[in-house]
Amino acid sequence: MEVFSATNLAFILRGFGKTILISVLAIVFSIIVGTVLALVKQYCRGRLRVLSVIASAYIELFRCTPNLLWILFVYFTVNGNDVLISVLAFTLFTSAVMAEIVRGGLNSVPKSQFEAAQSQGFGFFQSMRLIILPQTFRKIIPALFGQCTTVVKDSSYLAGINVAEFMYCSKVIMASTTSLSQILLVYGFVFLLYFALNFSISLAVRSYQRKLVAA
């Protein structure tokens, strides 16, 4: 059996497309949730301190446990299609990592920026939206992109719960043949596509860093 028949190739590429879809959705939601967690942990004071404690507990819980654990937890406890389950599991885990990245960026913004915003009559949310967060994200883009590559690579864990993503589809094709040479060809193809996607992200980060240095 020819593993790279048109039908098999289309099957594998559909899996690759699903990997990209799940990764993009998980990254977007993780950045949103992570930003909220970082802001709550960093700035909730006084009577709202309990929210900061909850955010801190969430971040530590997910950062100190493996991603695969939460993939299995969501798989067994949530009813939904494979994309929903996958995105939810990765968002739960990755948002904790994103929160610490964002918080590091917030800490790198000089306090004078906050004072300048207040002197202009900006409230907290207006200061964050117009002044602090734009500077924060410019500083943390390399770290965010680094985490993006981690999400893409870790999406291969989803093959363990039979989500028809890139690795799972590749395994199905490899199981259809007993020829070692054809199995190795599929492995090589998987390697090349994963490498091409993540290396492209790395190149984007390097290009951005060069622009920062030149600015």
Side-chain angles (χ1 to χ4, degrees):
M1 179 180 179
E2 178 57 54
V3 292
F4 283 121
S5 65
T7 300
N8 287 352
L9 187 58
F11 179 68
I12 293 176
L13 291 178
R14 280 198 301 273
F16 188 64
K18 181 168 283 190
T19 288
I20 294 175
L21 173 64
I22 290 170
S23 299
V24 169
L25 290 175
I27 289 165
V28 170
F29 287 124
S30 295
I31 291 173
I32 294 171
V33 176
T35 300
V36 172
L37 287 170
L39 291 173
V40 170
K41 181 177 179 179
Q42 187 82 352
Y43 297 113
C44 281
R45 300 288 188 270
R47 281 181 282 182
L48 295 177
R49 183 170 175 77
V50 64
L51 296 179
S52 178
V53 172
I54 292 171
S56 297
Y58 179 97
I59 292 168
E60 294 305 320
L61 173 66
F62 284 91
R63 288 182 66 228
C64 297
T65 51
N67 194 4
L68 183 58
L69 176 69
W70 298 106
I71 292 172
L72 293 173
F73 174 78
V74 174
Y75 175 71
F76 287 117
T77 59
V78 175
N79 290 322
N81 61 40
D82 54 0
V83 173
L84 173 63
I85 289 171
S86 303
V87 171
L88 178 58
F90 271 90
T91 300
L92 284 172
F93 180 83
T94 308
S95 58
V97 180
M98 293 295 190
E100 287 300 277
I101 293 174
V102 173
R103 200 167 70 87
L106 290 170
N107 287 330
S108 70
V109 177
K111 290 183 178 180
S112 60
Q113 296 295 308
F114 292 88
E115 295 166 356
Q118 290 174 351
S119 70
Q120 296 300 312
F122 290 172
F124 175 79
F125 291 105
Q126 195 175 20
S127 299
M128 284 295 157
R129 182 170 60 88
L130 297 177
I131 298 175
I132 306 304
L133 285 178
Q135 294 184 60
T136 296
F137 278 97
R138 278 196 294 271
K139 292 173 181 291
I140 66 174
I141 280 179
L144 288 179
F145 273 87
Q147 186 58 33
C148 289
T149 62
T150 299
V151 171
V152 172
K153 290 183 289 187
D154 286 355
S155 66
S156 60
Y157 292 155
L158 298 170
I161 58 171
N162 297 327
V163 174
E165 48 74 61
F166 185 39
M167 184 60 73
Y168 176 83
C169 292
S170 302
K171 284 172 58 181
V172 170
I173 298 304
M174 284 186 279
S176 68
T177 180
T178 57
S179 170
L180 178 60
S181 61
Q182 294 204 42
I183 290 172
L184 291 177
L185 280 175
V186 177
Y187 265 116
F189 185 66
V190 170
F191 165 82
L192 286 175
L193 284 190
Y194 271 125
F195 178 80
L197 180 57
N198 287 306
F199 188 63
S200 297
I201 295 173
S202 297
L203 289 178
V205 173
R206 293 174 193 173
S207 175
Y208 177 80
Q209 289 175 319
R210 284 196 295 270
K211 288 179 181 178
L212 281 182
V213 172

